[in-house]
C-alpha cells in the first residue's frame, strides 16, 4: 500500500492570502465604484529592462537556427552567466567567489526550498526568523525536521524574533543551532543588518560549526554603502555561509525566472562519524541529479544586466521602487506610525499599534488600499503590516493620499 | 554541528559519461584528422519549431511593456497552457484530464526527481526498471528509501528487468510493490508497451494500492496507433497513475525548458492509520511551496505547439528523427544485430552479443562513432549499446556507412 509523507500533515495551512482575497472580494462587491489599490503584493510591476528584452529576442533567434541552436546546457548554468555574476556581484564588492561556486537556478524560492535536502533530517537544530518568508520553515516541516505546530509555532525550532526592541534584527541565540536562515534586506520587514551584526552571526556559526543560509534576494535595493551586499564581505563567511540571490527583484524577473546560489568550496558539513564533507560537491550532486538548467534565452537575459547599459537600467528600476518606498515611509511617519524598511528595501514594515488584521480592514474599508497583515508572517508580525513599493507612482501617491484621509 | 544527509554517501558515482569522454578524448588526440560522429547523446539537434520561436518573441515583447508585463504567474502554470495540454494531449486521445490536474514545470527531470517527496520515506517498496534513467533511483537513494549499493544494485529495490527474453518490457513483479516507475517509449531501450501490458500494470497497481509513475517524455515518437500515448487510455489508470511529460523531445525544448506532470484528483495514498489523502492536494502543496512557475515566454512557446501550424511543425520534427532512427535500425539489422526501438522512439537498443564497452570501443576506434554503452544504465544494459537518432541526416548516414565498414 502506497504511503504518504506524513510530515505534510503537520503543515499548518496558511490562509493569509485566501483571507486577504476574501475580504477584498467582499469590499469590491460592496463598493463596485471604488477602485482598489494593491500595495500588498511582493511582485514587481515595471517592464523588464531593455537589455534583457533584447537578449531574450537574441536567444530566441539563436534557437531558431541549427548552427546556433542550444539543447541541454550545463545544469549549473552557462559559464557566461556564472562568470558575469562572479565579476559583477562579487569581485566588484571585494569578494572572491569563483564562477564554479555559483549555481544558476530558476528561482530563489526553489533554491531556498531545496537546499535543506543536503543536510541531515534528524537532530538538526534550525534557527528561523519570525516574521519570516514561509518557505524556509514549510520545507523543513515537509522534510520532518520539526515537531507539531503548537499555537502557531513548530516544536523544535529556534525562532529568531524580530521585534521593535531589536529594530527587527534578531539577536544571536543563546544556545547552539546548526542551520540558520537569515534574510537581509528582509522580507517582510525591510530591515537590514550592519556589518557588525553580520560579523557576529558569522562568528556564532563558526563557533558552532553551523551553516548560515543567507538570502539576499533584495540586495539591489541597498543604498547605504556601509551595509554589506553579500555575506562574503564578512571575513570567514565563505567557511560557514551559503548565499541565495535572484534576478526577480533586481531585474524584474518574477515572471522570467532566474536566480542563483553560491556554495563556496570551503563549506563543510559532517557525517555521524565526524568526517567532513564538501557541501559544494553535495549540492552539485543534487543539482545535476534533480535539475536540468535554466532556459537558455533567460540566462542570456540575466547576463545582459552586467553590461554597463544593463547596470544603468537595473539601477533605474530599483531607484524607481525606492522612490515609491521613500514616499510611503515618509507618509507613514507623518501619520505618527513608526516603521522600518523602505530605505534599503522595497518593503515598509509598519508598527500599527493595534491588531494587524484590524489595521488591514481599516485601510481596506476606509482607504480602499490593500496591505499585508503582519500576523501572516509569524507571531512577531502581529501588530504590524507590510506595505510594498511595487506599484506605479500614481497608484502609490493616490494610495498615500487615501490612507492619510482615512487615518486623519 | 551541521550534519549532512548521509543517504548521499550511498550514491554510487556514475562514471558513464566521464568514462565515455575519457575514451573519446584519447581517440581524438590520436586521430586529430578523423572527425567523430556522436550518436550517444539524448539531446535534440534541430532548431526550435517556428511557432515556438515566434511565441518566445511575442512573450519577450509583452514583458517589455508595462501594460502587458507579467510578474509571478500561477505556480501550476498558466491556464492557457494547462487548457491547451488537456485538450491537445488528452481530450484528443479520449482521456478526461482536467486542466487543473496538470502541473506545468521546467523539466521532467525535476518532476521525476521531486515527485517522490510526497510519499513516505520508510517502508515504501520501490519497483524500478533495469536498464533505467538514473534519476528515478538516485533520487530515492538520496531520500533514504534504499539500502546500500551492493554489486551495482541498491538493496531493498525491486528491479524490473528488461531483457531480450521479455522484449525489454518487464514482467509484473510476483510480490507487492508500492511505487512503480515505468517509461514507454523507453529511455534507453526505445521499447514500447502494448495496451495489454499497460492494462496488466494498472491492474497490478490497483490490486496492491500502488502508484505508477508513468514517464512518457518520448510520446511524440509513437507511430503505431495501437500503442497507448497516455496511461490514462487504460481504464482506471486515473486511480493509480501519475504521468510525466515534457516538451523537450516533443518540440526540441531541451534548452528552452518546459514539462508537465498529471496528477488526477482521484489519486490517493494512505497515512499510517490507513486514512486516504489526495495526492493532487499534496503535490499542489509541494509545487506551490517549492516552485514559482515556468518562465512566461517559455509557457507561451509551449502552448504554441497546440495550434494546427504548431502540430504540423512538431510532427515534422519527430518525423525527421524517426527517419534517422529507421535508417539506424535497418542498418543494424542488415549487420545481423538484433535491436529494439527506433520505430516508436528515437533510441535504438542494440544487443551486441558482446561486452558493451568492448562494442563501444570498436565503434569508436574503427568507425569514429560514439554510442552509449548499455552497462551504464544498469546490469541488464550489459551486452547492449544505445544509439540515438538525434543528429543531422548527413551525420547519421555517414556514421552508418562507417559502422558497416568497421563491422564488415
Amino acid at each position: 500500500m502506497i504511503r504518504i509523507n506524513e510530515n505534510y500533515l503537520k503543515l499548518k495551512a496558511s490562509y493569509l492570502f485566501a483571507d486577504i482575497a476574501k475580504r477584498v472580494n467582499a469590499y469590491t462587491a460592496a463598493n463596485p465604484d471604488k477602485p482598489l489599490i494593491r500595495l500588498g503584493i511582493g511582485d514587481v510591476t515595471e517592464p523588464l529592462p531593455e537589455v534583457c528584452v533584447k537578449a531574450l529576442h537574441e536567444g530566441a533567434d539563436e534557437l531558431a537556427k541549427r548552427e546556433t541552436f542550444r539543447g541541454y546546457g550545463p545544469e549549473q548554468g552557462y559559464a557566461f552567466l556564472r562568470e558575469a555574476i562572479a565579476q559583477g556581484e562579487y569581485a566588484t564588492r571585494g569578494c572572491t567567489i569563483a564562477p564554479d561556486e555559483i549555481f544558476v537556478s530558476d528561482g530563489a524560492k526553489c533554491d531556498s526550498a531545496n537546499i535543506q535536502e543536503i543536510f541531515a533530517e534528524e537532530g538538526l537544530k534550525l534557527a528561523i526568523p519570525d516574521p519570516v518568508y514561509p518557505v524556509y520553515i514549510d520545507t523543513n516541516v515537509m522534510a520532518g525536521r520539526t515537531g507539531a505546530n503548537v499555537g502557531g509555532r513548530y516544536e523544535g525550532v529556534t525562532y529568531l524574533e524580530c521585534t521593535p526592541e531589536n529594530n527587527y534584527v534578531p539577536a544571536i541565540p543563546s544556545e547552539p543551532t546548526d542551520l540558520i536562515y537569515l534574510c537581509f534586506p528582509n522580507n517582510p520587514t525591510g530591515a537590514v543588518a550592519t556589518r557588525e551584526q553580520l560579523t557576529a552571526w558569522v562568528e556564532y556559526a563558526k563557533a558552532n560549526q553551523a551553516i548560515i543560509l543567507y538570502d539576499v534576494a533584495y540586495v539591489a535595493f541597498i543604498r547605504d554603502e556601509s551595509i554589506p551586499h553579500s555575506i562574503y564581505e564578512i571575513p570567514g563567511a565563505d567557511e560557514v555561509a551559503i548565499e541565495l540571490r535572484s534576478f526577480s527583484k533586481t531585474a524584474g524577473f518574477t515572471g522570467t525566472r532566474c536566480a542563483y546560489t553560491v556554495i563556496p568550496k570551503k563549506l563543510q558539513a559532517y557525517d555521524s562519524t565526524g568526517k567532513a564533507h564538501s557541501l559544494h560537491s553535495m549540492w552539485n550532486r543534487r543539482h545535476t541529479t534533480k535539475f536540468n538548467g535554466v532556459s537558455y534565452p533567460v540566462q542570456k537575459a540575466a547576463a545582459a544586466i552586467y553590461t554597463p547599459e544593463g547596470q544603468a537600467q537595473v539601477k533605474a528600476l530599483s531607484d524607481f521602487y525606492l522612490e515609491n518606498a521613500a514616499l510611503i515611509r515618509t507618509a507613514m511617519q507623518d501619520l505618527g506610525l513608526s516603521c522600518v524598511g523602505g530605505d534599503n528595501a522595497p518593503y515598509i514594515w509598519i508598527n500599527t499599534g493595534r491588531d494587524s488584521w484590524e489595521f488591514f480592514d481599516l485601510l481596506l474599508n476606509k482607504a480602499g488600499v490593500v496591505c499585508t497583515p503582519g500576523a501572516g508572517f509569524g507571531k512577531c508580525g502581529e501588530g504590524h503590516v507590510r506595505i510594498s513599493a511595487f506599484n506605479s507612482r500614481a497608484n502609490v501617491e493616490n494610495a498615500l493620499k487615501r490612507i492619510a484621509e482615512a487615518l486623519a
Side-chain angles (χ1 to χ4, degrees), chain A:
Chain A
M1 185 198 280
I2 184 79
R3 292 257 313 280
I4 61 161
N5 175 349
E6 296 194 27
N7 295 312
Y8 275 59
L9 304 179
K10 290 183 203 161
L11 284 167
K12 200 174 149 66
S14 169
Y15 299 110
L16 175 63
F17 291 103
D19 282 350
I20 292 174
K22 204 193 285 178
R23 295 179 197 220
V24 166
N25 290 343
Y27 172 85
T28 48
N31 302 279
D33 54 327
K34 293 190 192 159
L36 272 181
I37 302 175
R38 292 174 190 272
L39 294 181
I41 302 169
D43 193 3
V44 297
T45 56
E46 303 309 301
L48 209 59
E50 279 175 34
V51 290
C52 301
V53 174
K54 185 163 169 275
L56 281 178
H57 282 303
E58 288 169 357
D61 285 336
E62 288 178 56
L63 295 176
K65 289 189 286 290
R66 196 183 196 284
E67 310 76 57
T68 51
F69 179 78
R70 304 253 185 165
Y72 293 120
E75 288 99 340
Q76 303 91 341
Y78 278 104
F80 68 78
L81 178 55
R82 301 172 91 189
E83 285 161 10
I85 293 167
Q87 177 59 35
E89 304 285 350
Y90 293 103
T92 52
R93 300 284 313 172
C95 306
T96 308
I97 295 294
D100 68 354
E101 293 176 316
I102 296 165
F103 293 81
V104 177
S105 83
D106 64 322
K109 183 181 185 180
C110 309
D111 285 346
S112 63
N114 293 333
I115 193 74
Q116 44 84 27
E117 287 179 31
I118 62 173
F119 299 107
E121 286 183 7
E122 283 179 23
L124 207 71
K125 282 175 260 165
L126 297 172
I128 297 185
D130 176 2
V132 72
Y133 177 55
V135 171
Y136 302 160
I137 191 136
D138 287 357
T139 54
N140 279 294
V141 175
M142 290 170 168
R145 283 195 198 84
T146 71
N149 189 299
V150 178
R153 284 189 165 181
Y154 292 95
E155 291 176 325
V157 174
T158 298
Y159 285 89
L160 305 172
E161 302 201 337
C162 307
T163 63
E165 290 66 39
N166 59 29
N167 209 24
Y168 307 99
V169 177
I172 305 277
S174 51
E175 74 278 17
T177 57
D178 303 314
L179 189 62
I180 304 151
Y181 288 76
L182 295 175
C183 172
F184 296 109
N186 189 261
N187 175 18
T189 71
V192 288
T194 63
R195 187 170 304 273
E196 293 65 36
Q197 287 167 327
L198 275 188
T199 301
W201 277 105
V202 167
E203 284 168 6
Y204 167 79
K206 277 190 163 182
N208 291 286
Q209 293 182 290
I211 292 287
I212 296 171
L213 298 177
Y214 194 65
D215 183 342
V216 219
Y218 295 92
V219 62
F221 299 93
I222 299 176
R223 287 297 178 275
D224 178 345
E225 278 302 307
S226 76
I227 300 293
H229 289 50
S230 164
I231 197 162
Y232 304 120
E233 292 180 35
I234 310 300
D238 59 350
E239 294 167 40
V240 292
I242 290 170
E243 188 160 285
L244 303 156
R245 291 199 176 196
S246 169
F247 293 90
S248 284
K249 306 301 158 65
T250 298
F253 269 49
T254 54
T256 305
R257 314 300 315 139
C258 197
Y260 54 98
T261 289
V262 180
I263 312 214
K265 291 198 186 131
K266 283 187 191 167
L267 284 188
Q268 295 188 319
Y270 305 88
D271 66 25
S272 47
T273 72
K275 190 182 162 199
H277 296 267
S278 157
L279 288 176
H280 183 277
S281 298
M282 288 187 71
W283 182 250
N284 191 58
R285 187 63 157 104
R286 196 272 171 208
H287 207 64
T288 53
T289 302
K290 297 196 177 187
F291 185 62
N292 236 334
V294 171
S295 183
Y296 171 67
V298 171
Q299 291 193 59
K300 267 195 80 117
I305 76 163
Y306 296 106
T307 57
E309 204 185 352
Q311 286 293 288
Q313 290 177 13
V314 295
K315 172 72 166 39
L317 196 60
S318 54
D319 278 347
F320 172 79
Y321 293 125
L322 281 169
E323 286 156 18
N324 283 349
L327 292 174
I328 296 166
R329 189 180 159 110
T330 304
M332 293 302 123
Q333 287 169 336
D334 289 350
L335 289 165
L337 292 165
S338 79
C339 56
V340 66
D343 41 1
N344 294 291
Y347 299 124
I348 297 92
W349 186 244
I350 298 158
N351 190 350
T352 66
R354 64 190 102 182
D355 179 270
S356 71
W357 277 108
E358 186 190 318
F359 192 79
F360 171 90
D361 284 334
L362 179 70
L363 289 202
L364 175 64
N365 296 316
K366 287 193 123 187
V369 171
V370 184
C371 65
T372 313
F377 297 103
K379 274 201 164 180
C380 295
E382 185 48 89
H384 295 74
V385 298
R386 185 187 77 176
I387 293 193
S388 155
F390 295 124
N391 217 315
S392 69
R393 183 64 40 80
N395 276 346
V396 167
E397 287 173 341
N398 197 2
L400 294 175
K401 207 172 131 223
R402 292 200 215 164
I403 293 172
E405 287 165 8
L407 297 184

